[in-house]
Amino acid sequence: MVSPRLVLVLGDQLTPTMAALKAADMARDVVVMAEVAAETDYVPHHPKKIAFLFAAMRKFAARLQADGWRVAYTRLDDPDNAGSIGGELLRRAAEFGATEVLATEPGEWRLIEALRDHPLTVRMLEDDRFLCTHSEFEAWAEGRKALRMEFFYREMRRKTGLLMDGDQPEGGQWNFDHDNRKGPPKGLSGPVPPRFDPDAVTEEVLRLVETRFDSHFGDLRPFWFATEPAQAEQALDHFIAYALPRFGDYQDAMVTGQDFLFHSVLSVYINAGLLDPLEVCRRAEAAYHAGRAPLNAVEGFIRQIIGWREFVRGVYFREGPGYAQRNALDHSRRLPPVYWGGETRMRCMKEAVGVTRREAYAHHIQRLMVTGNFALLAGVDPGEVHEWYLAVYADAYEWVEAPNTVGMSQFADGGVVGSKPYVSSGNYISKMSDYCKTCAYGVKVKTGPDACPFNLLYWHFLGRHRDSFAQNPRMAQMYRTWDRMEPSRQSEILSDADALLSRLDAGEPV
Ligand code: FAD
Ligand code: DLZ
Ligand code: SF4
């Protein structure tokens, strides 16, 4: 009899048509799935993220078994647990007499390298849940001076046919972003995503996570994520019906106490394999054609998925291992305690970190223009920032998190993902949110103890990186504004910013 091969399925590979499963033989091979400390602890993942993955993994394993697969599933508390993916493969190889592994390429270089160096023979297949293959991305990127998402996105529109009218974009424009930057009117509120009561499988996982990971930052309960495809579909239906129509208008808005506004909260399901990204886009497109959602909303939503999501993945793999360790601006400050729930007078940080702690979620503008913006302006070590984002969000895996954090948010890749750093003073946050109205700082105050920290640090950032950015045409205006200021005003701002940074360094709340 031919010996079985091991078919590795990782926690974010919960799709029945995964490349490794397609290549395997149900009659011969053994599927290996494992809850392991090496994966739960390489950064201190949010308890909700671990619970989501374990519950979804257990249900996926049960489904494979029901379909006829032989599944060797290791629970975290199994006494024989080898503690790592590589270790589990070795243990299962000995158990089943296997020498070969079929794997779908993981979404982190760390694991790709562990599989490449593994003593068993590992056949690694490309993850085909993405629209753009590695070689297609390479072909697109080759010879370009700069990689810009907008041009890549147009290729993806043509490739998928989404929102295309023949060879022209629906509505005569590729991008309707100029309609999507509305600040929130008073009392704006969005629909709450559907909540799923934990069943017996999830409840068992919750008890395990409660005992093992109570030292990790984040609230485990109430736990309401979908943990199986049918539930994730319900979440998608709900989004299309109730939130998508206003997704575009308020995509950048932030409102106190409104954790989700009109965002889909689907990344956690898409990234783990519970929802197919192309299908999600087709559903949004169908809502547009049925007159149930406007073009600016649907185009904006589809762009995030076939544009940004595919683009950042392309960048992560093209840039190679070591991308997450880049530090183009040479920033070295420690991540301040406020990121782990420490005291703060800044309303915007309190809100963004608060929803992160409660839900293992924050929407894009909170991630980019509040926590990301603050870390960049304050000169925090991008490696620490990266580890924080990777740990605290339920949708975070390095292929998508690192280009967003190290690239888009911290400009630590020197401009591969974005052409200029996403920095702003308090004015942007004030325009796009209601946070400043209840903040202890004054968003219009530019110096002194009540000055909004973003106002002080913004000029400090521009000043200390003048050599890098003064020639950037998209930033020249800001340098002109600075240069027109009275020297006494400039030194007041810079010395107040220095004092603020010293307080951060001393671990004091700001
Ligand atoms: P929606 O606003 O409803 O958007 C729809 C979908 O578009 C998302 O579900 C997601 O699949 C996709 N999408 C939107 N923006 C992006 C983007 N910039 N990159 C990739 N996909 C995108 N997204 C992750 O999936 N995992 C991460 O670890 C992650 N880390 C981030 C870190 C930083 C510093 C920043 C600025 C952004 C990060 N993002 C990450 C992108 C984005 O913030 C999240 O995808 C989004 O907030 C998820 O919430 P949602 O499903 O409600 O998204
Ligand atoms: C994120 C994560 C966690 C917390 N735990 C596991 C696990 O126990 N077993 C597993 O197979 N996968 C886990 N994952 C997801 C992997 O870390 C993920 O596959 C890689 O980050 C690559 O994207
Ligand atoms: Fe944030 Fe500044 Fe507004 Fe306060 S005043 S909420 S610190 S932007």
Side-chain angles (χ1 to χ4, degrees), residues 109-110 113 116 316-326 398:
W109 285 111
R110 177 184 62 81
E113 287 173 340
R116 273 192 194 147
Y316 179 72
F317 281 99
R318 180 176 162 81
E319 293 296 311
Y323 179 79
Q325 282 72 52
R326 294 205 192 156
E398 208 176 87

Side-chain angles (χ1 to χ4, degrees), residues 11 41 49 64 89 125 162 181 218 268 372 377 431 447 501:
D41 296 349
K49 176 182 189 179
L64 289 181
L89 286 173
L125 304 159
L162 283 164
R181 304 225 166 92
V268 56
L377 294 180
K431 214 171 77 199
T447 53
L501 291 171

